[in-house]
């Protein structure tokens, strides 16, 4: 196969990925739609078990059981679709790499795709480990689908070689680490936003107000402490990786440009991102800053990351210009 | 059900028992009549977690203009352009040092305060942690039921047997047995890692400072066949640190034999190579190949390839036909296709002086209006287009002149200023018999030499940062306590209480705790406690 057709195959597979992820998102949403019914069933069943006594035969409730079945089938289907989408996603990057004869993260298009892949992988790991309910999937897949859709339309670049400065051993390490960290950071940013949503939902319930859309979505989310802990553990993983990415970048810059740090706009925004995440980790240990304030810091830090990759690449002139 | 009597103990000890960090406590109120009070309070305020957080946010905020506005150290031309385009706000922004953010007094003030705070915070934390490392885990708190994870059961085993079992199950923990109680702790490396990380931050700052004060950076343009020595005089541009001394320059010299660039079909650069010969002072000559990402390293002084361009080989003859100039003229690239501009000055003529303005195009295309352009950066169809001027170059006036610009105020255009396109080998005949020959094309390269005495330290600090962070964020510090009480009368079951606390990741600790309890708890004995292992969802500070 020629490089060009390999590259096109990779692009086609990425589009397929987006479609499969979108279907998965619908599956998660379907599960949630039947979830209210399930809650009702669970409470009925629990009370009947109390009546009958533990270990006794459980009372069968045909109509509601069907709803539960449908809900969990929808959810399992969504997880399976996510896993399939993930595999296709990996393949699309592999073909891109073969087409360009290099690691598949040489321009913003490929980079965005790889970042989304990390976010999805991390989410699947969290679900597999039982750290979050898979129902969170609808809220995670939505930004992933939007992000990939944008990346493959606005940022599209045909597969090709790199400019010489990017062609080094350290770029592979630097960019791979940056992608690992960024995918995780973006995931944590989404979870932090969901945490804020859930907190507002809880607050409105406590104040005996009826939450309206979008706050009412809070009912579908894991509890606020769970979301807070998930966003922390994702950041706690990503922060050392990001630190390492910056250092590897410094080593690369030192061999390419003769200085390990030069306050180039890209470096400056990586630094701002780093300091904000350090601020987040501090905030979680500072009285009066836990919870909502810390979550806002995580959201701001993810914002700085997006500026680092998109605003700087497109609008600010620097040495790091890709593509 | 056994009735629980409160175990004696004091509140302070309990507070210490659930503290799993050396982080400074929130600043309290000053004692009255303490003369040093305000000072001490100010210092505690400066080294508090809240101040550290505030300064971190300020540091991020202060960097933002540096991430959007052009910065003088990187790109002085764009700064001037920006100021010219914004005549109202530009000069004011300049006065606020918004184009020199990272050397501005306000930026320095923030990071210096942050590091003072860091040092002030680290000293007591290190002392506290060293104490914790050498002391035993704290006493069992009075009420284990208040801990995030806890359990309680009865067993027919005797007190000592239970304690022995617990000791065995907690083998990888630091364990101390006090009468009928066991205190255990694990994960000390978390705090160690955190301290290493913060200490490395200080080392990093020292490394950066060493480089900024004692280092230097020099750039020099070299045409093929020529070279340079690592001395102050040979650089076109030199940026020394404030404490830089020329005697610290590593003595060596470099000669550029050949430069090669290759390009893809779309004109994107693929490779750059500079074949050089270099020698330390008085030493034997060696060959090397300087590429992007592959500098030449001589005793810590590194030579980088940072730019390149074309240098047409020109020969100038006077009216008698004698060669008065024969050299390579470096032309400065103006666009990615290497359309380049050059200036040739001939001052050593008898009588009238000559100056030439040239445009060099490596792959020449001519549009319908006769303008030359370049369609590819590689050398496919080179043309040197020159216009000549005669008169006074002004070089004798004593004012220094750039070799890349031609002052034509005292000169008259030759041929009405008409440009002549020369192919390699072609000659431009000037009125009066003089001539300029474009013989062939060579290339030039710019090299940058840097010496940074703080680089090694900065790298060590960076490794310390990553290592420290990994310990600090991946290791969980946790405590576990067991209290055993014998039955009130002979033959009555022994009561066992266990409780635990983790600094981070309470879910995983709850699993670990449950697994440990399962080891200790006899399978057959039904629990007397109505609540099974309870997990308190609330996060600890
Ligand atoms: C130079 C700027 C600073 C940076 C970049 C920084 C960064 C960090 C980071 C990334 C963490 C998280 C790692 C962990 O949880 O162990 C952390 C934790 C911590 N930092 Fe800093 N820090 C800075 C200054 C300070 C200062 C001035 C203090 C003293 C008030 C301080 C006290 C702490 C403490 C006590 C923790 C541990 C929090 C915990 O127990 O979870 N840091 N710091």
């Amino acid at each position: 196969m020629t490089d060009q057709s390999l590259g096109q195959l990779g692009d086609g597979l990425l589009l397929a990925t987006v479609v499969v992820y979108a279907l998965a998102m619908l599956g998660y949403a379907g599960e949630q739609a039947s979830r209210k019914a399930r809650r009702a069933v669970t409470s009925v069943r629990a009370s009947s078990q109390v009546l009958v006594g533990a270990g006794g035969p459980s009372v069968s409730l045909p109509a509601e059981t069907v709803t539960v079945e449908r809900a969990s089938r929808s959810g399992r289907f969504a997880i399976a679709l996510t896993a399939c989408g993930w595999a296709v996603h990996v393949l699309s990057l592999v073909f891109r790499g073969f087409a360009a004869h290099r690691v598949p993260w040489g321009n913003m298009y490929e980079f965005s795709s790889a970042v989304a892949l990390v976010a999805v992988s991390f989410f699947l790991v969290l679900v597999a480990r039982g750290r979050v309910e898979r129902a969170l999937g609808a809220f995670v897949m939505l930004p992933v689908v939007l992000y990939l859709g944008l990346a493959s339309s606005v940022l599209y670049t045909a597969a090709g070689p790199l400019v010489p400065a990017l062609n080094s051993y350290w770029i592979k390490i630097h960019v791979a680490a940056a992608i690992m960290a960024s995918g995780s950071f973006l995931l944590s940013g989404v979870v932090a936003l969901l945490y804020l949503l859930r907190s507002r939902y809880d607050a409105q319930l406590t104040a005996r107000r009826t939450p309206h859309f979008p706050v009412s979505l809070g009912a579908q989310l894991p509890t606020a402490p769970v979301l807070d802990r998930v966003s922390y553990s994702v950041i706690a993983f990503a922060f050392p990786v990001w630190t390492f990415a910056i250092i590897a970048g410094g080593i690369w810059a030192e061999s390419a440009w003769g200085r390990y740090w030069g306050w180039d706009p890209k470096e400056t925004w990586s630094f701002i991102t780093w300091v904000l995440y350090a601020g987040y980790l501090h905030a979680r240990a500072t009285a009066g800053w836990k919870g909502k304030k810390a979550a806002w810091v995580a959201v701001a830090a993810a914002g700085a990351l997006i500026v680092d990759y998109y605003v700087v690449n497109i609008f600010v002139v620097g040495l790091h210009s890709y593509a | 059900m056994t009735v629980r009597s409160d175990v004696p103990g004091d509140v302070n000890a309990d507070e210490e028992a659930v503290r799993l960090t050396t982080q400074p406590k929130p600043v309290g109120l000053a004692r009255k009549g303490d003369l040093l009070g305000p000072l001490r309070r100010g210092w505690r305020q400066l080294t508090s977690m809240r101040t550290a957080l505030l300064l971190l946010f300020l540091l991020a905020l202060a960097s933002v203009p540096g991430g959007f506005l052009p910065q003088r150290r990187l790109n002085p031309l764009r700064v001037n352009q920006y100021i010219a385009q914004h005549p109202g706000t530009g000069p004011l922004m300049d006065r606020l040092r918004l184009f020199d953010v990272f050397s501005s007094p306000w930026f320095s003030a923030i990071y210096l305060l942050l590091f003072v705070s860091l040092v002030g915070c680290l000293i007591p934390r290190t002392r506290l942690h060293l104490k914790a490392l050498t002391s035993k885990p704290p006493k069992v708190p009075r009420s284990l039921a208040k801990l995030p994870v806890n359990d309680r059961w009865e067993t027919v085993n005797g007190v000592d047997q239970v304690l022995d079992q617990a000791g065995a199950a907690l083998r990888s923990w630091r364990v101390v047995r006090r009468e009928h109680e066991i205190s255990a702790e694990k994960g000390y490396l978390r705090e160690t890692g955190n301290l290493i990380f913060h200490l490395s931050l200080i080392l990093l700052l020292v490394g950066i400072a060493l480089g900024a004060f004692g280092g230097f950076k020099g750039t020099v343009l070299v045409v093929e066949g020529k070279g340079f020595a690592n001395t102050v005089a040979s650089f076109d541009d030199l940026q020394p640190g404030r404490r830089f001394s020329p005697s610290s320059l590593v003595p060596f010299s470099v000669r550029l034999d050949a430069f090669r660039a290759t390009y893809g079909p779309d004109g994107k650069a693929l490779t750059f190579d500079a074949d050089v010969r270099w020698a330390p002072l008085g030493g034997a000559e060696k060959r090397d190949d300087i590429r992007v990402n592959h500098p030449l390293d001589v005793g810590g002084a590194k030579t980088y390839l940072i730019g390149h361009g074309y240098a047409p080989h020109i020969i100038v003859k006077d009216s008698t036909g004698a060669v008065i100039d024969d050299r390579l003229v470096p032309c400065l690239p103006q666009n990615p296709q290497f359309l380049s501009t050059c200036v040739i000055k001939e001052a050593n003529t008898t009588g009238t002086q000559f100056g030439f303005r040239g445009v060099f195009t490596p792959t020449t295309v001519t549009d319908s209006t006769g303008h030359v352009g370049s369609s590819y950066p590689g050398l496919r169809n080179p043309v040197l287009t020159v216009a000549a001027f005669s008169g006074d170059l002004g070089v004798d006036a004593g004012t220094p002149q750039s070799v890349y610009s031609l002052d034509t105020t005292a000169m008259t255009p030759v041929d009405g200023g008409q440009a002549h396109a020369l192919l390699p080998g072609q000659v431009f005949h000037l009125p009066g018999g003089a001539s300029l020959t474009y013989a062939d094309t060579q290339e030039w390269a710019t090299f940058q030499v840097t010496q940074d005495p703080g680089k090694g330290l900065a790298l060590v600090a960076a490794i310390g940062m990553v290592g420290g962070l990994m310990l600090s964020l991946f290791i969980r510090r946790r405590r576990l306590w067991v209290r055993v009480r014998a039955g009130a009368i002979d033959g009555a079951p022994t009561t066992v209480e266990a409780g635990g606390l983790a600094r981070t990741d309470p879910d995983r600790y709850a699993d670990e705790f449950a697994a440990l309890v399962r080891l200790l708890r006899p399978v057959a004995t039904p629990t007397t406690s109505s609540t099974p292992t309870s997990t308190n969802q609330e996060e600890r500070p």
Side-chain angles (χ1 to χ4, degrees):
Chain A
M1 230 191 272
T2 66
D3 289 351
Q4 202 190 354
S5 55
L6 265 179
Q8 281 165 353
L9 184 58
D11 298 342
L13 286 176
L14 188 63
L15 283 184
T17 308
V18 176
V19 173
V20 177
Y21 282 165
L23 287 175
M25 186 179 80
L26 293 180
Y28 294 119
E31 180 179 31
Q32 287 182 354
S34 331
R35 226 180 165 210
K36 262 191 191 143
R38 181 170 58 176
R39 272 206 209 98
V41 174
T42 330
S43 56
V44 171
R45 195 187 265 165
S47 50
S48 59
Q49 276 184 352
V50 169
L51 286 177
V52 177
S58 67
V59 185
S60 67
L61 296 152
E64 282 89 344
T65 315
V66 171
T67 328
V68 178
E69 279 300 302
R70 196 182 301 143
S72 71
R73 209 182 316 131
S74 173
R76 277 201 305 271
F77 185 60
I79 272 289
L81 273 179
T82 313
C84 288
W86 182 86
V88 178
H89 199 163
V90 171
L91 272 185
S92 92
L93 278 170
V94 169
F95 282 124
R96 256 326 255 218
F98 277 115
H101 304 284
R102 54 167 169 74
V103 288
W105 45 74
N107 56 48
M108 275 165 75
Y109 166 67
E110 294 165 356
F111 185 87
S112 307
S113 170
V115 163
L117 180 68
V118 169
V120 175
S121 313
F122 211 135
F123 169 70
L124 284 172
V125 167
L126 285 173
V127 172
R129 287 225 187 140
R131 300 293 292 268
V132 286
E133 301 151 49
R134 63 173 179 236
L136 195 62
F139 299 93
V140 172
M141 293 325 276
L142 178 68
V144 167
V145 167
L146 288 178
Y147 181 68
L148 278 179
L150 269 180
S152 48
S153 52
V154 180
L155 303 174
Y156 181 76
T157 324
L162 293 172
V163 294
L166 290 177
N167 210 345
S168 117
Y169 173 69
W170 278 102
I171 186 203
K172 295 187 185 110
I173 298 175
H174 162 66
V175 183
I179 288 171
M180 280 282 271
S182 308
S184 314
F185 278 150
L186 290 184
L187 179 66
S188 77
V190 170
V191 177
L193 276 175
L194 295 176
Y195 165 83
L196 290 166
L197 184 78
R198 175 75 205 211
S199 309
R200 176 161 300 179
Y201 173 82
D202 290 346
Q204 292 190 356
L205 283 193
T206 318
R208 298 184 175 285
R209 289 186 13 227
T210 318
H212 295 292
F213 185 83
V215 179
S216 56
L217 285 176
Q220 320 287 342
L221 288 168
T223 62
V226 167
L227 289 170
D228 182 45
R229 244 175 278 157
V230 167
S231 125
Y232 168 77
S233 49
V234 175
I235 291 175
F237 163 80
F239 188 76
V241 181
W242 184 246
T243 309
F244 174 74
I246 294 180
I247 292 166
I251 296 175
W252 170 37
E254 202 267 337
S255 71
W257 300 318
R259 86 282 183 295
Y260 57 87
W261 193 262
W263 297 111
D264 172 82
K266 189 120 210 157
E267 293 168 355
T268 302
W269 279 100
S270 317
F271 174 76
I272 295 173
T273 307
W274 187 81
V275 171
L276 285 176
Y277 278 112
Y280 168 84
L281 291 171
H282 263 229
R284 282 187 52 103
T286 305
W289 276 84
K290 289 161 205 161
K292 272 195 276 188
K293 279 190 195 166
W296 279 116
V297 179
V299 172
L305 189 71
I306 290 171
V307 171
D308 193 10
Y309 285 128
Y310 298 101
V311 180
V312 170
N313 276 22
I314 297 167
F315 300 106
V316 185
V317 183
L319 282 169
H320 274 82
S321 51
Y322 277 111
Chain B
M1 268 286 229
T2 45
V3 181
R4 198 165 62 207
S5 67
D6 257 352
V7 184
D10 70 281
V11 184
N12 274 342
D14 280 3
E15 261 182 27
E16 278 315 307
V18 297
R19 238 175 99 80
L20 270 174
T21 167
T22 58
Q23 100 188 33
K25 295 177 189 170
V27 182
L29 291 172
R31 256 173 299 156
K32 263 197 196 140
D34 185 356
L35 274 182
L36 282 173
L39 257 170
R40 192 172 295 149
R41 227 177 106 72
W43 177 248
R44 293 224 355 232
Q45 196 69 255
L46 178 65
T47 58
S48 72
M49 289 299 280
R50 194 175 289 271
T51 307
L53 188 58
L54 185 79
L55 288 170
L56 277 173
F57 290 150
L58 272 178
L59 187 67
L61 191 69
S63 313
V64 170
F68 280 134
L69 295 170
Q71 295 295 300
R72 195 163 268 129
R73 259 216 322 214
L74 279 176
N75 203 333
L77 280 176
R78 285 196 51 239
V79 172
N80 294 341
Q81 240 173 32
Y82 187 98
I83 296 177
Q85 283 164 3
H86 303 79
T89 49
L92 180 68
M93 286 162 77
D94 198 15
R95 222 165 309 135
L96 292 175
R97 305 291 302 271
L98 289 177
F99 304 112
D100 309 274
V101 167
F102 303 104
S103 54
S104 68
W106 41 272
F107 190 82
S108 314
I110 294 170
Y111 77 77
L112 286 177
L113 265 180
L114 185 57
F115 275 88
V116 170
S117 167
L118 182 55
V119 172
C121 158
L122 266 185
I123 294 169
R125 286 185 62 205
T126 310
R127 219 173 35 221
L128 264 177
H129 184 55
L130 284 179
K131 216 174 92 189
L133 278 180
T134 51
S135 55
K136 294 175 180 136
K139 278 192 182 140
V140 180
R142 278 177 304 170
S143 167
L144 287 175
K146 280 189 194 153
L147 292 172
V149 284
N150 60 77
D151 203 350
R152 177 188 161 91
W153 67 91
E154 290 183 351
T155 169
V156 291
N157 293 341
V159 171
D160 283 327
Q161 201 182 347
V162 172
L163 288 172
D164 288 347
Q165 267 181 335
L170 294 166
R171 199 158 323 123
S172 64
W173 295 54
R174 178 177 297 186
V175 177
V176 58
R177 192 161 153 174
R178 298 186 181 95
E179 294 178 37
H180 295 166
E181 300 174 345
I182 278 187
S183 305
E185 183 161 354
K186 199 174 167 154
Y188 291 84
L189 272 178
R190 177 194 164 85
E191 200 76 20
T192 311
N194 182 293
L195 292 172
I196 292 177
F197 168 73
H198 285 87
L199 227 118
S200 302
L201 285 175
I202 298 175
L203 275 189
L204 179 67
L205 191 72
V206 173
I208 293 172
L210 278 181
F213 282 103
F216 95 101
K217 179 164 102 180
T219 42
V220 56
L221 185 149
V222 182
V223 295
E224 285 173 321
K226 291 268 192 297
F228 68 94
N230 190 24
T231 58
V232 169
S234 58
F235 291 109
D236 301 329
D237 176 49
L238 187 73
Q239 292 175 28
R242 237 174 281 174
R243 288 285 160 79
F244 167 74
S245 100
S247 64
S248 66
L249 282 171
V250 179
F252 69 96
S253 60
V254 176
R255 175 170 301 279
L256 175 64
D257 282 339
F259 175 86
R260 269 169 288 117
T262 56
Y263 305 92
D266 57 350
K268 250 191 202 167
L270 298 178
T271 61
F272 303 123
D273 277 279
D275 291 337
V276 296
R277 273 177 291 162
W278 64 275
L281 188 69
E285 222 174 38
K286 294 188 190 82
R287 286 181 183 281
D288 206 333
D289 169 22
I290 304 182
R291 300 181 298 266
V292 180
N293 296 327
H294 184 265
L296 170 72
D297 189 343
V298 186
K302 288 196 170 179
T303 306
Y304 298 85
L305 175 64
I306 59 166
H308 70 108
Y310 290 102
H313 174 198
I314 55 115
I315 301 164
V316 181
K317 295 179 181 158
D318 67 11
S319 50
T320 65
V323 174
I324 55 169
D325 200 1
D326 179 351
R327 66 190 165 102
L328 303 178
V329 179
C331 298
L332 302 182
Q334 305 297 318
N335 69 16
Q337 311 302 342
F338 277 77
L339 177 137
S340 314
T341 56
C342 7
V343 161
I344 306 162
K345 298 182 197 183
E346 297 305 335
N348 297 335
T349 48
T350 42
T352 173
Q353 296 177 328
F354 285 110
F356 302 89
R357 270 208 188 115
V359 171
F360 176 81
T361 42
T363 299
T364 311
V365 286
T366 314
D367 68 11
S368 51
T369 60
H371 280 102
V372 291
S374 177
S375 62
Y376 188 75
L379 206 60
R380 287 179 174 170
N381 173 25
V383 171
L384 179 64
T385 309
V386 281
F389 299 84
S390 67
D392 184 5
L393 284 166
V395 286
D396 309 323
T399 41
Q401 267 194 2
S402 162
V403 292
Y404 300 107
S405 68
L406 182 68
D407 179 5
T408 54
T409 44
M411 306 190 87
T412 47
V414 175
D415 269 2
Q418 203 198 324
H420 292 247
L422 305 177
L423 294 174
Q426 286 188 334
V427 187
F428 180 7
H429 293 284
L430 295 159
S435 70
L436 172 107
T437 308
Y438 165 34
D440 55 29
T441 320
Q442 306 275 313
E443 303 199 39
W444 56 260
T446 33
F447 293 102
Q448 184 180 81
V449 182
T450 58
Q451 279 180 228
D452 182 344
K455 215 154 57 181
L457 187 60
L459 184 63
V460 169
I463 294 168
M465 277 167 65
V466 175
L469 267 179
M470 281 169 47
L471 291 179
S472 168
L473 290 167
F474 300 158
I475 288 184
R476 295 166 301 132
R477 177 122 178 240
R478 57 244 194 238
R479 286 189 184 139
L480 189 142
W481 292 281
V482 180
R483 173 180 290 133
V484 186
R485 246 173 305 153
I489 49 161
D490 261 3
T494 311
T495 311
V496 187
E497 276 181 283
L501 172 74
R503 180 84 187 79
T504 43
D505 213 346
D507 301 333
R508 272 181 63 193
Y509 185 56
D511 294 345
E512 185 183 13
F513 182 82
L516 281 167
V517 165
R518 230 172 292 128
L519 281 180
L520 298 180
R521 194 171 183 162
V523 192
T525 324
T527 172
T528 52
S529 159
S530 55
T531 49
T533 304
S534 65
T535 308
N536 199 337
Q537 289 290 325
E538 172 206 8
E539 180 102 329
R540 289 264 142 199

